[in-house]
Amino acid sequence: MSPAAAAGPEITIRREQTLPIRTVSFSDDRRWLTAAHEDETTDLWELVSGVRIRTLPGHTKEAKDVAVSVDDRWMASPRPEDTIELRNLLDGRDVRLLSGHRRAVTALAFSRDGHWLASGGRDRSIRIWAVPSGQPLRTLSGHSGDINALAFDPGGRYLASAGAEGTLKLWLPRNGREVRTLKGHDSEVESVAFSPDGKWLASGSTDGTTRLWEVATGRMAALLLTSKLTNDWVVVSPDGPFDGSAEGLRRLAGWRFGEREPVSLESFLADLFSPGLLVAILSGRPPRPRRDITSLDPRTPEVKLSLGDAEGSGRAAASGAAHVRVEAAEARPDSDHPAGSGVRDVRLFRNGVLVKAWNGQIPLDGAGKAVLEVDIALTAGENRVAARAANGDGVRGADVSAVLAGARSSRRKGTAHLLEVSIGRSANGEFDLPRSVADTRASSEELSRRLGKLQTSEKEQAFERVELKTLEDSQATRSNILSALETLGGKVRPDDAVFVYFACLGVSRGDHFTLISHDLGYAGKRGKMNEKELKVILEHGISDGELEQAFEKIDAGQIVLVIDSCDLPLSSGSREKGWSITRCSGLAHLASHKGMYVLAAARGFHAAKEEVFDQEPRLVDVLLKGLRTPAADWSPRDGEVSAGEWLEYAARVFVETGQPKAQGVSRAAFQAGKAEQDAGSTTSAWQDVGRMARVFTPVESAPPPWILVRFKTNP
């Protein structure tokens, strides 16, 4: 392997997609991290769910060269030339002029206790002043560029400085000693801020990134990146794991291996995608990569696609079906790799939805190639057929696509299939959730009515009929659920749409999750099960892998899965902490593997049982509002609500209206969760009363928008 390759991959940023970051800050309640751009918009990162919630327009530009003490008593501001005015705000007359810098002052910051003022300037020096006397205490030197920003940590132990040369420095203000230099930004660092607990440092740069640093070690823990044109975002850890929106993973960043062209993050979805990465990092539990990224082969197979007798001819298929031929060839050996790349996991999509998967390692001929063939059903009109393959390490290559027109004579109105699975009364009453059945029934019945009345853009009825199947309480056994999904796989066609709604308990283990069925196989007390008994519960449930296998056989044009879950209270003997399913990569793989949309929402068990919870919007309330009003018509605002818009709206509102301060969870619910934690339960009290939601969408390709509601006029 060449020296460049051996050094490991580097994060690459597509700078044309981003805007410079001017200021960063943490909220005092530790819920938000904001990053303000030069175009006066601000990214709002939600530190409970770990996602970029939204971009706020029209923020006020911060005057970084003016500082006010925490007690609002003193204000410091630069004067012409190289002096500083220190003014007592209580009377406005007590003014001191501080001299010492040799060039203009560009940054000021007070310590939290108000005893120190730090200043930085174009003379590349930092000075510490006593407050209120204004006496100079010490001078700090070390930057090779102008000082752009300064910040004291909450305890006053550290001072952080940001330099125009692209570095940050940590200092001990008591003696002026430099602790360490933080390197990673590609251009000027414009802003710096400590988290309220002083453990993390955030920096913003003209390179368009916000970066998080661990104060104790100086290690860069995460890179945060957002698009200047869309709502897309990514979070990347230097050792490989990443999180982000589907389009963000595709367009905003990648990994460069040696001198090779950068490989987009989406190619490493199988091994490195980590939902909730930002939360995991800030909570001190960063995920371990399933494999070391330096060991992954970046070479991907070459794929060729043939439809019928002609490649991408676009001619009509009168039979309503097409014969597809996929040829996959491994990358040949090169100076860094003595063997070919191998080929595995070949996928075939029609209009963004998986129609055929060849899983595992693919046998190759002597030339390192494989030919795979299959007949697929077509829809009337345009059919975009795409194929992709991964190398032996699971690193995915880009899609290869072609268009084939289905015969208009085969056109038919599809059927909307709705499957409702809700468990309010469990076989073990310790785990009852009385509202689940009513919640799910209301949502599915409303959606059924809406889809029955839905018209196409040509004012025709969208679906010939709507079929609703319910599995409630004792009907919702493991075998019945899997059987219902299998039945869907045997009856749906490409013109059909499928909507599946689960309302039940769920449990996460590592990167995977399991939905708990009615017949959970455990008759003991909640929170008292041992590891063996928990294993039995999981075996009676439906795992994410089983869901993936079931949906793989459902050949519908549109598929939406909603999971409204409560975290199963784990026992004191469990080796792993309860972890919301919104942070498990299993759902992300399901969405990407099949080409479907998944909304995962999670609540704490005790909060879900509390009557007071009815006072705040539940997931079903938000979903129904999104169907009845234009509230979910937001991206774009065009008088139509697509399935993607609907789910994203529901997830955002569910989280924003459900934090403990806002939702008013009763003290009894909080204490019930905390009592289990104090008794040894591994579920945190915060998780037990919190709410989280996340939408997982196809990363590589996506089906065309599924319009659920059309309004007569644009809202």
Side-chain angles (χ1 to χ4, degrees), residues 66-110:
V66 175
V68 177
S69 61
V70 174
D71 61 5
D72 292 329
R73 182 177 180 182
W74 297 95
M75 181 180 76
S77 59
R79 293 286 295 270
E81 304 300 332
D82 51 14
T83 59
I84 303 165
E85 178 184 279
L86 181 62
R87 181 180 294 271
N88 187 325
L89 295 177
L90 298 183
D91 61 18
R93 296 188 299 272
D94 186 1
V95 178
R96 293 166 175 79
L97 295 181
L98 314 183
S99 300
H101 284 284
R102 296 187 302 275
R103 297 185 63 188
V105 175
T106 53
L108 292 163
F110 282 98

Side-chain angles (χ1 to χ4, degrees), residues 32 96 124 176 188 261 269 386 424 440 461 473 488 579 621 683:
W32 306 104
R96 293 166 175 79
R124 304 178 181 180
E188 288 194 39
E261 287 296 313
L269 197 72
T440 314
Q461 186 173 336
D473 290 340
L488 280 177
W579 199 238
D621 299 323
T683 302

